[in-house]
Amino acid sequence: MTYVVGYGPRNDDRSALELAFQFARSRPGPVVAVSVVPQGWGTPVAAGVDREYEAWAAGEGQRSAELAMADSAHHRDLAAEAVWVTGRSVPATLIDQATDRDAVLIVVGSAEDAAPGRVRLTSKTDRLVHSSPLPVAIAPRGYRTSSRVARVTVGFRGDDAGWSLLDRVAGIARSSAAHLRLVTFLVDPARRPVTTDVSHAQAQVIDVWTRQAVAAQAEAVVHVRTLGFADDEIEYGIAAAPDWGAAVSSVGWTEGDVLVVGSSSTHRLAQVFLGSSASKILRNAPVPVVVVPGAGA
């Protein structure tokens, strides 16, 4: 079991490594920091320039690997390695490295302009999330922790994709001795979901959604018990609010929490598509977020 970390050549934030080591404390396995540097052109015409460029890239890669090992020294009790590789595409190269190493997770950090403690994708990590066959974990900007994963919160929708996600995450939480929390986020739509002259129609629709969510969660809790979770290891609830920020913050978060979301169940590329709800949850999450591709990936 290996955790592959995307580590930038000029990284000034070790949050991705911190998150990877947190996972490694929960489910033991080596952490491999991978720095991807540009490839040379490889053409005879630009041979001289290409050699200079490759030498520069090699120097960048070596320095990045050394920095990664220095950052890993904060966790001397856990196995760590740092490598640098060349590649045309950072997301594709990270996926190749993870596949070659039989990794269970790819871990990346947030954008440099993300607010401290918040998750924000870069253009590269956005492509990674939408193309990886493996789960991708995103650390909040400046993330630091010495804890293990104590509780896994699943964004549960109650549809087929939600049930598939629940089974996968429950198995991971069980093997990590982490508690499992099911949360269904209900946010009032910006526009009425129906056109009608009936008074309070939107409130009635929200009420129907809530009853359906409660029923789905009750069924899910019964299912989770059959997977070996005791009652004191299961939490569940509805997070209803007028906007996503309020809904996500209303859940309550503590150190050791990790949030898991799945891909869209309605998009034709469901196995790789991060739906609008998951994207909004991710942007408002104050804890690490793991994006799990659909079962078809």
Side-chain angles (χ1 to χ4, degrees), residues 1 24 43 54 58 68 108 124 181:
M1 182 179 298
T43 60
E54 288 178 349
V108 294
K124 292 177 181 177
R181 178 168 64 171

Side-chain angles (χ1 to χ4, degrees), residues 174-214:
R174 181 75 289 179
S175 63
S176 304
H179 288 197
L180 184 65
R181 178 168 64 171
L182 286 68
V183 176
T184 302
F185 295 97
L186 296 181
V187 176
D188 293 347
R191 289 181 253 176
R192 290 182 182 274
V194 293
T195 300
T196 177
D197 295 329
V198 178
S199 176
H200 307 303
Q202 184 162 327
Q204 293 173 5
V205 170
I206 296 296
D207 184 58
V208 170
W209 287 351
T210 302
R211 291 199 300 271
Q212 291 174 342
V214 169

Side-chain angles (χ1 to χ4, degrees), residues 5 11 75 104 109 118 124 126 137 195 197 211 218 243 268 279:
V5 181
N11 203 318
H75 307 277
V104 296
R118 292 292 180 176
K124 292 177 181 177
D126 184 69
T195 300
D197 295 329
R211 291 199 300 271
D243 60 76
R268 65 185 178 84
S279 295

Side-chain angles (χ1 to χ4, degrees), residues 30-45:
V31 172
V32 181
V34 178
S35 297
V36 181
V37 298
Q39 280 184 336
W41 295 278
T43 60
V45 174

Side-chain angles (χ1 to χ4, degrees), residues 19 21 32 47 49 62 113 126 151 159 209 261 285:
L19 179 56
F21 283 118
V32 181
V49 176
Q62 184 61 38
D113 58 352
D126 184 69
R151 180 173 61 179
D159 56 8
W209 287 351
V261 296

Side-chain angles (χ1 to χ4, degrees), residues 115-281:
R118 292 292 180 176
V119 171
R120 183 169 181 176
L121 301 180
T122 66
S123 59
K124 292 177 181 177
T125 54
D126 184 69
R127 293 198 303 272
L128 175 65
V129 164
H130 286 81
S131 58
S132 175
L134 298 173
V136 177
I138 308 105
R141 181 71 178 167
Y143 186 68
R144 300 289 185 272
T145 185
S146 59
S147 75
R148 56 190 302 281
V149 176
R151 180 173 61 179
V152 179
T153 297
V154 182
F156 181 70
R157 293 192 300 260
D159 56 8
D160 289 344
W163 280 98
S164 175
L165 176 66
L166 177 60
D167 278 339
R168 296 173 69 180
V169 176
I172 296 171
R174 181 75 289 179
S175 63
S176 304
H179 288 197
L180 184 65
R181 178 168 64 171
L182 286 68
V183 176
T184 302
F185 295 97
L186 296 181
V187 176
D188 293 347
R191 289 181 253 176
R192 290 182 182 274
V194 293
T195 300
T196 177
D197 295 329
V198 178
S199 176
H200 307 303
Q202 184 162 327
Q204 293 173 5
V205 170
I206 296 296
D207 184 58
V208 170
W209 287 351
T210 302
R211 291 199 300 271
Q212 291 174 342
V214 169
Q217 283 202 351
E219 185 179 356
V221 169
V222 172
H223 175 67
V224 168
R225 289 192 184 109
T226 68
L227 301 178
F229 286 86
D231 287 345
D232 62 355
E233 297 174 318
I234 309 170
E235 301 174 48
Y236 57 95
I238 308 294
D243 60 76
W244 285 99
V248 175
S249 63
S250 70
V251 172
W253 304 95
T254 61
E255 186 173 7
D257 278 342
V258 171
L259 172 62
V260 180
V261 296
S263 57
S264 170
S265 61
T266 57
H267 195 272
R268 65 185 178 84
L269 298 177
Q271 71 271 22
V272 297
F273 185 74
L274 186 62
S276 60
S277 295
S279 295
K280 291 169 183 174
I281 294 170

Side-chain angles (χ1 to χ4, degrees), residues 48-116:
V49 176
D50 197 29
R51 283 194 294 270
E52 293 180 4
Y53 187 81
E54 288 178 349
W56 169 84
E60 289 288 285
Q62 184 61 38
R63 281 189 290 273
S64 184
E66 291 171 357
L67 285 172
M69 287 308 297
D71 285 342
S72 298
H74 294 86
H75 307 277
R76 296 184 184 277
D77 57 323
L78 299 171
E81 179 186 357
V83 300
W84 66 271
V85 295
T86 60
R88 298 290 188 192
S89 163
V90 173
T93 303
L94 285 177
I95 291 172
D96 289 343
Q97 286 288 310
T99 301
D100 292 345
R101 296 173 182 275
D102 197 25
V104 296
L105 188 68
I106 299 175
V107 187
V108 294
S110 290
E112 291 184 2
D113 58 352

